[in-house]
Amino acid sequence: MELENLLKQRGLKVTDQRKAIVKVLKDCNCMLSARDIFDKVKQIIPGVNFSTIYRNLDLMSRKGILCGLMVDTGVSLYGLHREEGHHHHLVCKGCGRSMAIDYCPMSSVEKELAKKGFSPTEHEFIVYGFCGSCGTSGRGE
Amino acid sequence: MELENLLKQRGLKVTDQRKAIVKVLKDCNCMLSARDIFDKVKQIIPGVNFSTIYRNLDLMSRKGILCGLMVDTGVSLYGLHREEGHHHHLVCKGCGRSMAIDYCPMSSVEKELAKKGFSPTEHEFIVYGFCGSCGTSGRGE
DNA sequence: ATTCAGTTGCAAATAATTTGCATTTATAAT
DNA sequence: ATTATAAATGCAAATTATTTGCAACTGAAT
């Protein structure tokens, strides 16, 4: 019921596909690619179309309901937007999950940017590696 | 002549297309997309093929002659590898140029990662914004 | 000069994402 | 409840970025 209000507040209609996308992300509690989300939503709504997924991931990200992340392979990952505010991510190369970290490097570079006359708008900080369960050796591919 | 040795050291043949790619990146002194590089190399070698560009960007990046960077639109940018070592980038949304910054946030998160049992392998830190010449307002597109 | 692995051009294939359009649907107004 | 309508969806086709198979070519070692 909470999601319904969130969507309405942002002027978005409450549709089954949007509810399914959010459910999938809530259940997984990690960030997923559009394809992963599509596959999981299909188990809930067999007839969903991929373009509906893409349109909603984009729209809900722009409305602050989801947040997107571009990883170094050029694929976007999406997750629920954390209200707690700004944060960055660890991406596990073993299981593909991502976790949040609160540390943000921006305050440490502000002076250097000002000196260069650069006005920052966005930034990203992503750490790739292996999480506790996947270990330093990874799990192959 | 320096490049020729660099290529040979890495077991790569010295070809006109490789020389042209490096020349383009040296002249621009910034990071460019594969398409930009292709367009500029074509002015030197009209017959180059796009796949040759891609193969060499990938190969020379893996050999440490170039370095690649995935920006948040999902496009890779390539530049000459700076021997001076590890660094990160500012990407101007006005002119598309990128500059290096030396600050690296990794040392500040090491403890937090260790606590989470996460073993980092790679990381990226990119700041988007507008450089001195493009100003805070940007220049449209 | 000969050899041969490495490299290139070409064309076709992938993969990720976007778009146009007709149909459907959630919501607001009746 | 019914209706009107803008928003949302499904579908198919288009884009964009990148990759791959393969035959022809070329740099470098002999």
Side-chain angles (χ1 to χ4, degrees), chain B residues 13 15 17-18 52 55-56:
Chain B
K13 289 184 181 173
T15 65
Q17 358 321 63
R18 284 174 186 159
T52 299
R55 277 191 279 237
N56 281 317

Side-chain angles (χ1 to χ4, degrees), chain A residues 8 13-14 34-35 51 54-55 74 76:
Chain A
K8 284 178 182 164
K13 290 184 179 173
V14 179
R35 167 152 295 280
S51 57
Y54 272 110
R55 276 191 279 238
S76 291

Side-chain angles (χ1 to χ4, degrees), chain A residues 36-47:
Chain A
D36 290 340
I37 294 168
F38 174 57
D39 290 340
K40 287 177 192 290
V41 168
K42 256 198 303 202
Q43 293 169 12
I44 304 173
I45 306 173

Side-chain angles (χ1 to χ4, degrees), chain B residues 73-93:
Chain B
T73 53
V75 172
S76 291
L77 300 183
Y78 296 88
L80 296 182
H81 182 261
R82 303 199 326 172
E83 336 59 42
E84 308 96 68
H86 187 70
H87 63 286
H88 295 288
H89 294 94
L90 309 180
V91 177
C92 177
K93 298 196 293 183

Side-chain angles (χ1 to χ4, degrees), chain B:
Chain B
M1 198 58 26
E2 193 199 324
L3 169 65
E4 324 230 334
N5 292 331
L6 197 57
L7 288 167
K8 284 178 184 166
Q9 275 169 28
R10 310 295 206 280
L12 301 180
K13 289 184 181 173
V14 178
T15 65
D16 290 344
Q17 358 321 63
R18 284 174 186 159
K19 285 191 281 187
I21 290 172
V22 172
K23 178 181 184 349
V24 161
L25 290 171
K26 194 168 281 175
D27 287 353
C28 124
N29 194 36
C30 67
M31 303 196 79
L32 297 172
S33 66
R35 168 151 295 277
D36 290 340
I37 294 168
F38 175 56
D39 290 340
K40 288 177 190 290
V41 168
K42 256 199 302 204
Q43 292 169 14
I44 304 173
I45 306 173
V48 238
N49 193 271
F50 217 149
S51 57
T52 299
I53 301 294
Y54 272 110
R55 277 191 279 237
N56 281 317
L57 291 177
D58 177 53
L59 191 54
M60 291 195 281
S61 295
R62 284 190 286 110
K63 295 292 185 176
I65 297 170
L66 304 183
C67 77
L69 171 66
M70 173 69 59
V71 299
D72 62 0
T73 53
V75 172
S76 291
L77 300 183
Y78 296 88
L80 296 182
H81 182 261
R82 303 199 326 172
E83 336 59 42
E84 308 96 68
H86 187 70
H87 63 286
H88 295 288
H89 294 94
L90 309 180
V91 177
C92 177
K93 298 196 293 183
C95 60
R97 276 156 201 271
S98 96
M99 332 172 214
I101 41 174
D102 290 310
Y103 176 76
C104 175
M106 284 307 285
S107 54
S108 307
V109 280
E110 264 160 19
K111 265 163 289 189
E112 190 173 347
L113 299 188
K115 201 181 303 173
K116 290 183 192 294
F118 189 90
S119 311
T121 53
E122 295 88 30
H123 62 277
E124 60 185 56
F125 174 42
I126 307 177
V127 182
Y128 300 92
F130 294 96
C131 69
S133 353
C134 294
T136 36
S137 55
R139 308 183 316 180
E141 175 77 352

Side-chain angles (χ1 to χ4, degrees), chain A residues 91-94 128-132 134-139, chain B residues 117-121:
Chain A
V91 177
C92 177
K93 299 196 293 183
Y128 300 92
F130 294 95
C131 70
C134 294
T136 37
S137 54
R139 308 183 317 180
Chain B
F118 189 90
S119 311
T121 53

